[in-house]
Amino acid sequence: MPECDRASTRPVVIFTIGTQGDVRPCVALGQGLHRAGYSVRIATSDNFAELVRRAGLEFYPLTANFQTMLEADRSIAEQGLNVRAMVRIFRERYTIWAAKWVQEGLAACENAGLLIGVSNSILLAKALSEALEIPFAIARLQPLTLSRILPPIMLSSGKHKLPGLLSLGAHYLLFKLLWDVMCPAINGIVRPQLGLPLYPWYGPYFRDLHHAKIINGFSQHVLSRPPDWTDNSQVTGYWFFDQSQWSPSDALSQFLAAGPKPVYVGFGSMVSSDASAFTQIVLDGIKKSGQRAVLATGWGAMDGDEGPQDRQIFVLRHAPHDWLFPRMSAAVHHGGAGTTAAAVRAGLPSVIVPFFGDQPFWANRLNRKGVAPPALERKSLTSAALASALSTTQEAPMIKAAAALGRAVRAEDSIGEALRHLRTWNLLPDGAREAVVEPFARTMT
């Protein structure tokens, strides 16, 4: 599309805050919209500014740096599966951050044609859409649509099926917990500053947001769409942000070429209050398994000096999953939505050590798909348990199941599906060309 035509399109603004797994899929969605001829802005925390700009999208700052928060207080990781503690911690943090949200949000929304809210920024985007009379949609990376069939994943690992009424009750409980987190920021700061009426005591999740248009960025092959979901909530497939220009160091290339495919071990944006002890358990488990491994220290769940440690283990800070995972034989990770998606797409068996949130649910989904052993408890993790789980990933049935699941996910036109639903709902302007999809499958053949 000529630049003059692109410039005439009112921008789509995607609001997202959180970790890598929350932001990178949104950048991928933004790139898909951009390829289809839409101007795209990403409003997120400043630690992702370079990532957004390198993706060819406009960056707008939004005060909410999860990386700084987690690095400053590593004890948060130890409370990750304690729902009450998480409600308290994030309620306090969002209230602090929200002081600047209206000013920042108004700047990002200038002349916008569509606002898309993701995860913890949904209510900010919704308020801005009301105040500025701009169309609004939700993008989700985890299922949260009301259902009698699928309980809310934050309150259920998915191991046991709940009766329909209990599933609904669990959704209502989660909606109230989410509102307890966001109420001081939204009712106390954002909506008053925008001159909007306050939400009632039970919040917006039961009525306003229940009717919003929702695109869900996960694969139907990992989690099929519950048949009782309303038509306004649709599953599109995963949104992958690939970094095809990334080049490995000579040392990493030499390590990969020096033996059979290693396993990947990394916990992405997670942190640990005792990274050294956790790292030692992981290293001992790898040694016991006899497998080669690439260890990614990420934001700080593990530590170690970059480079080859010996002939068996290589340590790095991070590497793009789209480049690294096809060169691995399995992946040990936390079960975050983004890393889970990357491992699935690459056709890798997984070993999942959940930290918090939706991670136990995705661990259970992969186990039920036959592409991962049962999740390992992080606080009681032993080297023997890790070694045993790694051995399972090298067995033929799991390798075959992971390869088949990978082929199915790579065949999905997830960005195209997202755009199709947004157009069906008349949320995108007419006239932009179809998205140019670059299938990851090409790199896997």
Side-chain angles (χ1 to χ4, degrees):
M1 170 173 287
E3 286 302 315
C4 59
D5 291 339
R6 184 184 297 279
S8 67
T9 302
R10 297 180 68 190
V12 176
V13 187
I14 302 174
F15 288 83
T16 178
I17 57 177
T19 64
Q20 292 268 356
D22 297 295
V23 176
R24 293 176 70 90
C26 298
V27 173
L29 178 62
Q31 283 186 315
L33 287 160
H34 187 70
R35 288 194 300 268
Y38 301 99
S39 299
V40 179
R41 300 169 181 166
I42 303 287
T44 190
S45 54
D46 55 7
N47 54 320
F48 294 111
E50 183 179 2
L51 182 147
V52 171
R53 289 171 177 146
R54 284 189 175 181
L57 309 176
E58 293 184 67
F59 167 78
Y60 278 75
L62 191 62
T63 300
N65 193 317
F66 270 57
Q67 184 173 4
T68 299
M69 176 185 69
L70 292 173
E71 289 176 347
D73 185 2
R74 292 175 178 265
S75 68
I76 293 174
E78 305 306 318
Q79 304 178 76
L81 295 176
N82 182 331
V83 174
R84 184 174 297 178
M86 289 294 99
V87 167
R88 175 183 55 79
I89 290 168
F90 284 103
R91 179 173 55 218
E92 294 173 357
R93 185 56 54 178
Y94 288 141
T95 304
I96 295 171
W97 287 340
K100 297 182 179 180
W101 281 358
V102 169
Q103 179 184 357
E104 294 167 335
L106 290 172
C109 291
E110 184 177 359
N111 196 39
L114 172 65
L115 307 185
I116 299 178
V118 185
S119 188
N120 307 304
S121 62
I122 288 173
L123 293 182
L124 171 61
K126 180 67 167 62
L128 290 164
S129 78
E130 290 178 42
L132 301 174
E133 298 183 344
I134 299 172
F136 164 77
I138 294 173
R140 285 192 176 133
L141 306 176
Q142 302 89 3
L144 195 59
T145 299
L146 191 66
S147 173
R148 291 175 175 268
I149 298 169
L150 180 67
I153 66 174
M154 302 300 182
L155 299 180
S156 170
S157 68
K159 291 182 180 180
H160 307 290
K161 186 176 181 180
L162 293 179
L165 287 177
L166 285 182
S167 177
L168 289 178
H171 276 284
Y172 295 143
L173 174 59
L174 180 60
F175 293 160
K176 184 59 171 63
L177 289 172
L178 290 173
W179 182 234
D180 286 346
V181 171
M182 300 304 301
C183 180
I186 300 302
N187 260 9
I189 299 172
V190 171
R191 294 185 72 85
Q193 288 186 11
L194 289 170
L196 297 172
L198 303 185
Y199 287 122
W201 66 268
Y202 51 81
Y205 295 95
F206 298 91
R207 296 177 60 183
D208 289 34
L209 294 187
H210 182 61
H211 300 290
K213 305 301 185 186
I214 305 165
I215 49 175
N216 293 276
F218 54 82
S219 173
Q220 62 176 335
H221 299 293
V222 175
L223 177 66
S224 59
R225 181 180 180 274
D228 66 338
W229 275 15
T230 51
D231 288 341
N232 63 297
S233 185
Q234 297 293 334
V235 174
T236 69
Y238 292 116
W239 308 321
F240 292 106
F241 173 57
D242 296 333
Q243 294 175 262
S244 57
Q245 302 303 313
W246 188 84
S247 297
S249 66
D250 290 341
L252 177 57
S253 295
Q254 291 167 9
F255 178 82
L256 294 176
K261 284 186 175 182
V263 298
Y264 166 88
V265 184
F267 301 96
S269 302
M270 302 299 99
V271 297
S272 174
S273 60
D274 193 346
S276 295
F278 185 61
T279 303
Q280 192 58 55
I281 293 171
V282 169
L283 291 173
D284 291 345
I286 294 169
K287 295 287 187 181
K288 281 180 168 51
S289 75
Q291 297 182 56
R292 294 179 353 117
V294 172
L295 213 73
T297 57
W299 282 10
M302 297 184 294
D303 58 20
D305 297 326
E306 293 197 49
Q309 306 304 296
D310 50 38
R311 298 177 66 180
Q312 189 179 359
I313 295 172
F314 190 98
V315 175
L316 47 73
R317 176 73 188 277
H318 60 80
H321 291 160
D322 59 287
W323 186 94
L324 188 63
F325 278 14
R327 294 164 172 82
M328 302 290 107
S329 66
V332 181
H333 56 95
H334 53 299
T339 308
T340 297
V344 165
R345 179 174 67 159
L348 294 183
S350 287
V351 173
I352 300 183
V353 186
F355 280 61
F356 61 77
D358 59 333
Q359 297 163 13
F361 176 84
W362 295 120
N364 180 256
R365 289 306 307 166
L366 295 198
N367 176 243
R368 293 181 64 178
K369 288 289 180 179
V371 301
L376 300 178
E377 171 65 41
R378 182 173 59 90
K379 291 184 178 181
S380 60
L381 182 66
T382 65
S383 58
L386 178 58
S388 176
L390 283 170
S391 297
T392 303
T393 66
Q394 306 303 303
E395 295 175 358
M398 188 168 289
I399 292 172
K400 183 178 179 180
L405 183 58
R407 287 191 296 270
V409 167
R410 293 194 298 274
E412 291 181 307
D413 178 17
S414 55
I415 298 295
E417 275 294 287
L419 267 64
R420 184 176 70 83
H421 289 299
L422 291 173
R423 286 178 175 135
T424 298
W425 294 326
N426 294 317
L427 292 176
L428 291 174
D430 295 328
R433 59 188 170 88
E434 292 299 315
V436 178
V437 179
E438 298 292 342
F440 179 77
R442 295 176 185 172
T443 68
M444 299 290 293
T445 56

